Amino acid sequence: MAKTVSAPPASALELAEKNFRASAVEADLYRWWEESGFFTPDEKNPKKPFVMMLPLPNVTGDLHLGHALGFGGYEDLMARYHRMRGEPTLWMPGTDHAGIIAQVVVENELAKEGITRQQLGREKFLEEMWKWMDHYRPRIEKQLRMLGASLDWSRPNFTMEPSKQRAVRTHFIRLHKKGHLYRADRIVHWCLKDQTTYSDLEVNHIERTDTLYYVQYPWADPVPAGTRPVIVATTRPETIVADVAVAVHPEDERWKALVGKEVLVPGVERRVRIIADEAVDPSFGTGALKITPGHDQTDFEIGQRHGLPVLSVIDKRGMMTPAAGPLAGPDREAGRKMMVEKLRAAGLLVREEPITHAVAVHDRCGTVDEPLVMKQWWVRMDRLAPPAIEAVRDGRIAIHPKYQEKVYFNWMENIRDWPVSRQIWWGHSIPVWYCRDCDNVIVPDEDAPDPTRCTRCRSDDIYQDQDVLDTWFSSGLWPFSTLGWPDKTADLARYYPGTVLETGYDILFFWVARMIMLGLEHMGEIPFDTVYLHGLVRVGSVKMSKSLHNVVSPVEFIEEYGADALRYALVHGIAMGADSQLSQDKLEHARNFANKLWNISRFVLKQVDEHPEAFTSHTADRRPEAKGEAARWILSRSDAAVAEATRLIDGYLFGEYLVALESFIWGDLADFYVELAKSSLRGADATEAVRTLAYVLDRALRLLHPSMPFLTETIALQLWKRTGKSDDAPSLVVSSWPVAGERDLALEERFGAFSDVVRAIRNLRQEAGLDPSGRAKVSLAGETAAVRDLLKPIGELTRSEVSLGSGGEGAATVVRAIEIRVVAERDQAADGARLAKDLDEGRQLLQHSRDLLAKPGFADKAPKEVVAKERAKLVEREERLKLLEAELKKRGGKRGT
């Protein structure tokens, strides 16, 4: 934090409009927070730091609502909460160079001007890439500030800056020296559009209907009469010319006797053997599988096990190569049609039928995958994955929601080696050189200069690998490269390992798993102890993605509703890990809630101004010594709200935290205590009432600050300007989180009955269509002990004349065994229907209580206070049902129509 903090912005101190106008204060407040150093952790604070890395957004345009959910909805909430808990909080900012997608975006921009990257050349194209980075990085950082993200901007990071390039180079060299990296010809996913390889994780599967062709492979040698023909089912007849075997399952009785025999590949008449391999699915087609190691992942693996050759008949452009023989020349789609015609002419096409199946496509552009065998650099995952699996299994790393751990294990335990070469220009260079004279592979030492001669033959005819590294190869280092690694820095010692990694569940494997593997490999420690995976914000049923061109920017929502309302709407009521859709109703509800709190604050501040003597030796954050029941009740309820908010945030139940807090602010505080306090403010208890109002408002602002920072800061600054505060923290950002005190549960229970009665009377008035400004007559009967002394405030809050006594006029409803009647002209049928509904509900609740208390072991094993509470509920529910049945009997048994 800065040594000197300037005064808060006047815009926040002076805003006094009827509704909260977020745009009037947001920019000024954020600037004040940032310039004051509130977001930078105090190095002198001895507490264990709370450390969280921003899931670095791609520098490919603007942020989208998914970013707003993660960054503003969850991460800033956690950062602000832990900062208020007194923990030195480092939320590390950064942006990612985005590899393939960034290059594609820039190429598309150049194409609008009729320019290709090939025309520009590599050097000039990279200059264009850097122009894009320099343009969009500030835009993204501005949008993060608009969201209110309390990132430590004194530590900026970008994956392509020099320090990160050095870290990636060191990372590659160390893995290579340990034997974790190797270069080999293996099958990869190839994108015909983007002209690069991509990993298994970047494959999407789309369902579509194609033709399944059944093709007969003639026997290479005479066979006994009656021998079954070899018929293979395939959706890719154009690759038949690259077949090197036919495989069957070793336990498939249809084919066992034919294993080892040879058939001819249609179109090229190549002799190939029938082999047995357990990877074959006997239920697909005829149970016989054509083996094409050059163009299918499973076939490549079968080929490796059986020592089969690899034939490539489709090139990087998707064209049929000379090795395709009679199909050479056209693209793969035309090659397919040509092969089908040849098979039909030769009488080898047995039949065709439609098949609906999953087709692999590149997730960046949707181009159908073309598996090709290419020489690439690979990371051995059998060495890196086991420690990362164990770190989650033994509990050192917890994943929330818990069920995602099973997903993590399933993928990690079946992980394949990771291809890290990418055939693009934008990215981290591969620190490998090749000698043209002796084919030596040269990998320099750490921090050594680029080699100029071959280390074996001393030739100077060497060249660097032209590929770049997979984006995730660099971003996997994020938890420690941002802290100065590979150097042993003070930041690295203090802030590694981190605390929480929050991100969408869709990149659990892309990023989270790789950070765990690489953190354990390079640092010897886990990178964080908690992973929180949020759901996706969807457009229809599809997640938002820049590459899918369905991005909705949060900026327009911030400008219309304010950052607080957007943050609140994205999280409120959302279960842990659940997908969601943002709606106008949610945004308007969030804005209405913000305005409700703003209006509460207008009322409280007005009372503070009218009772300045209450704060001559008292501050808003100091708990008042209250004597009145209403004041003691709201203070107890505020303690309940503190305990509940703390519990829910600590449990990563953020959606429930906001629901509970809204219920306290809108329900207990606004609907009840503010109304109850009005009469006290006019009498001898005014000092107690205004102090209580100020204290509870102060607590509510602190509790809500992690989600609605701009609104709460504006109100807090105005409140403290009038009342002062007990510490010198200049902002809510660095103020303390409330601590729950001892609650008065008996008083809360009594006022719980009071609030239920008030709500019931209000509902009855509304159902009867009574004039809201008119007074009604209300009678209470039954178990009225809890509210007997509260008849006057009940009447004040419901504009009613309230009396005690059973029977009387008006339709009855029952809450907490209290019979409530409002005298009014009633719709008898509607009353009957309501009574029937209440009876059904009452019977269900009573049966639930009976079942619970009768449950074996409950009375003996459950805490005594829980058992006592359930027994009290049983008595209350039995009494409620009696009253409802009596009302039904009084109505002559009529339950409505």
Side-chain angles (χ1 to χ4, degrees), residues 166-465:
R166 176 175 170 243
V168 171
R169 182 180 173 116
T170 301
H171 166 40
F172 186 98
I173 292 169
R174 289 187 184 181
L175 290 185
H176 184 265
K177 284 187 174 180
K178 290 183 178 182
H180 296 341
L181 273 167
Y182 65 95
R183 189 169 183 248
D185 285 305
R186 295 190 56 179
I187 198 156
V188 297
H189 301 285
W190 179 261
C191 180
L192 299 178
K193 180 179 184 296
D194 294 337
Q195 288 291 290
T196 184
T197 55
Y198 51 100
S199 73
D200 293 342
L201 290 174
E202 294 162 289
V203 177
N204 280 343
H205 288 89
I206 60 170
E207 190 174 272
R208 76 178 194 187
T209 300
D210 288 315
T211 302
L212 184 63
Y213 302 92
Y214 286 79
V215 181
Q216 183 173 346
Y217 284 51
W219 291 106
D221 300 305
V223 294
T227 301
R228 69 181 302 138
V230 177
I231 298 173
V232 170
T234 180
T235 58
R236 298 202 67 190
E238 71 276 16
T239 63
I240 286 176
V241 292
D243 288 356
V244 294
V246 170
V248 297
H249 194 278
E251 301 302 320
D252 192 335
E253 294 296 335
R254 296 171 295 176
W255 299 106
K256 264 188 176 182
L258 300 176
V259 173
K261 296 188 179 299
E262 294 185 336
V263 294
L264 297 176
V265 176
V268 292
E269 298 190 340
R270 182 185 306 114
R271 295 175 71 99
V272 298
R273 286 184 304 116
I274 298 177
I275 61 175
D277 194 281
E278 291 185 348
V280 177
D281 178 4
S283 66
F284 179 75
T286 63
L289 179 72
K290 62 188 287 296
I291 302 302
T292 319
H295 296 284
D296 184 271
Q297 176 72 49
T298 301
D299 292 5
F300 180 82
E301 293 171 357
I302 291 174
Q304 293 288 293
R305 288 193 287 273
H306 293 269
L308 300 175
V310 175
L311 299 180
S312 294
V313 297
I314 301 173
D315 66 15
K316 294 178 182 178
R317 300 168 300 147
M319 310 301 287
M320 305 302 294
T321 70
L327 303 184
D331 64 30
R332 59 183 180 177
E333 299 298 329
R336 178 175 303 177
K337 294 177 182 177
M338 287 174 61
M339 190 61 185
V340 170
E341 289 306 314
K342 289 181 179 295
L343 291 170
R344 188 176 285 119
L348 298 176
L349 184 58
V350 178
R351 70 178 188 274
E352 304 170 47
E353 60 185 38
I355 180 173
T356 300
H357 63 146
V359 177
V361 299
H362 188 193
D363 71 345
R364 299 299 185 186
C365 62
T367 303
V368 174
D369 182 34
E370 185 53 66
L372 297 177
V373 174
M374 298 173 61
K375 193 177 288 295
Q376 300 278 290
W377 283 99
W378 300 78
V379 180
R380 297 185 192 277
M381 303 310 288
D382 60 348
R383 302 183 182 184
L384 297 180
I389 294 170
E390 190 59 28
V392 175
R393 199 178 298 285
D394 65 19
R396 281 176 289 155
I397 297 176
I399 299 178
H400 301 283
K402 182 75 173 176
Y403 66 81
Q404 288 286 358
E405 289 187 2
K406 183 178 180 181
V407 179
Y408 173 85
F409 291 136
N410 183 58
W411 185 74
M412 291 289 284
E413 288 167 355
N414 295 283
I415 196 169
R416 294 194 289 207
D417 286 356
W418 173 17
V420 293
S421 301
R422 295 292 179 269
Q423 292 66 45
I424 57 177
W425 292 351
W426 175 242
H428 288 277
S429 299
I430 296 178
V432 175
W433 284 256
Y434 307 102
C435 178
R436 290 190 175 91
D437 291 339
C438 72
D439 295 328
N440 186 30
V441 177
I442 308 153
V443 179
D445 292 332
E446 292 178 32
D447 290 329
D450 291 351
T452 57
R453 289 184 176 276
C454 175
T455 54
R456 179 192 295 165
C457 72
R458 308 306 298 167
S459 169
D460 61 2
D461 192 6
I462 65 173
Y463 64 98
Q464 188 174 2
D465 196 311

Side-chain angles (χ1 to χ4, degrees), residues 490-764:
D491 270 4
L492 192 62
R494 179 164 170 77
Y495 298 116
Y496 189 93
T499 312
V500 174
L501 188 284
E502 193 285 332
T503 191
Y505 65 68
D506 57 325
I507 58 172
L508 173 60
F509 310 128
F510 281 108
W511 191 41
V512 180
R514 284 164 175 164
M515 283 190 287
I516 295 172
M517 288 187 280
L518 298 181
L520 288 165
E521 172 64 23
H522 291 304
M523 297 295 296
E525 292 184 84
I526 57 173
F528 30 72
D529 55 43
T530 300
V531 176
Y532 180 85
L533 300 172
H534 68 249
L536 307 179
V537 181
R538 295 188 173 272
V539 177
S541 61
V542 182
K543 77 164 186 173
M544 275 185 291
S545 166
K546 290 174 184 173
S547 58
L548 293 177
H549 308 294
N550 65 348
V551 168
V552 177
S553 170
V555 172
E556 58 192 80
F557 294 113
I558 293 172
E559 290 173 346
E560 182 174 357
Y561 295 94
D564 288 343
L566 175 61
R567 292 161 57 119
Y568 189 91
L570 286 166
V571 176
H572 180 265
I574 304 300
M576 182 191 293
D579 290 351
S580 61
Q581 286 184 277
L582 183 65
S583 66
Q584 185 174 345
D585 286 346
K586 289 181 179 180
L587 286 162
E588 289 178 352
H589 174 82
R591 183 168 60 186
N592 290 341
F593 173 61
N595 282 328
K596 187 69 174 181
L597 181 56
W598 179 253
N599 290 331
I600 294 171
S601 76
R602 296 300 92 200
F603 173 77
V604 174
L605 293 177
K606 181 174 183 291
Q607 301 311 312
V608 170
D609 289 340
E610 292 178 357
H611 300 85
E613 70 285 352
F615 297 95
T616 54
S617 59
H618 191 88
T619 57
D621 59 339
R622 178 179 161 192
R623 188 184 185 96
E625 297 292 332
K627 296 179 180 179
E629 280 195 330
R632 288 191 292 113
W633 167 73
I634 195 63
L635 291 174
S636 185
R637 290 302 301 148
S638 77
D639 286 320
V642 170
E644 185 70 350
T646 305
R647 180 186 72 82
L648 291 170
I649 294 178
D650 285 343
Y652 300 96
L653 299 170
F654 305 116
E656 292 89 334
Y657 144 71
L658 290 181
V659 169
L661 193 52
E662 180 182 304
S663 176
F664 168 70
I665 292 172
W666 206 323
D668 294 344
L669 179 56
D671 286 353
F672 289 97
Y673 184 67
V674 167
E675 297 302 318
L676 289 171
K678 288 178 180 178
S679 59
S680 298
L681 289 165
R682 295 189 294 268
D685 298 329
T687 295
E688 174 182 286
V690 73
R691 286 178 175 177
T692 302
L693 282 167
Y695 176 77
V696 174
L697 177 61
D698 177 277
R699 284 192 132 191
L701 297 174
R702 293 171 193 253
L703 294 178
L704 185 58
H705 180 72
S707 179
M708 289 186 147
F710 295 107
L711 168 69
T712 54
E713 180 76 288
T714 302
I715 298 172
L717 290 173
Q718 295 190 16
L719 176 66
W720 297 337
K721 181 181 178 181
R722 291 165 168 83
T723 68
K725 63 197 298 270
S726 59
D727 59 37
D728 59 359
S731 164
L732 261 184
V733 176
V734 288
S735 292
S736 60
W737 183 257
V739 177
E742 187 175 348
R743 295 166 58 188
D744 188 335
L745 296 177
L747 186 60
E748 285 190 44
E749 179 68 17
R750 187 163 169 240
F751 267 78
F754 161 78
S755 60
D756 285 349
V757 168
V758 169
R759 289 190 182 97
I761 294 172
R762 287 171 174 170
N763 290 339
L764 287 170

Side-chain angles (χ1 to χ4, degrees), residues 863-880:
K864 290 182 180 179
E865 60 272 18
V866 173
V867 176
K869 188 174 183 179
E870 288 302 324
R871 284 176 174 157
K873 279 185 183 179
L874 176 66
V875 173
E876 179 185 291
R877 287 169 177 176
E878 286 174 338
E879 185 61 28
R880 178 172 185 258

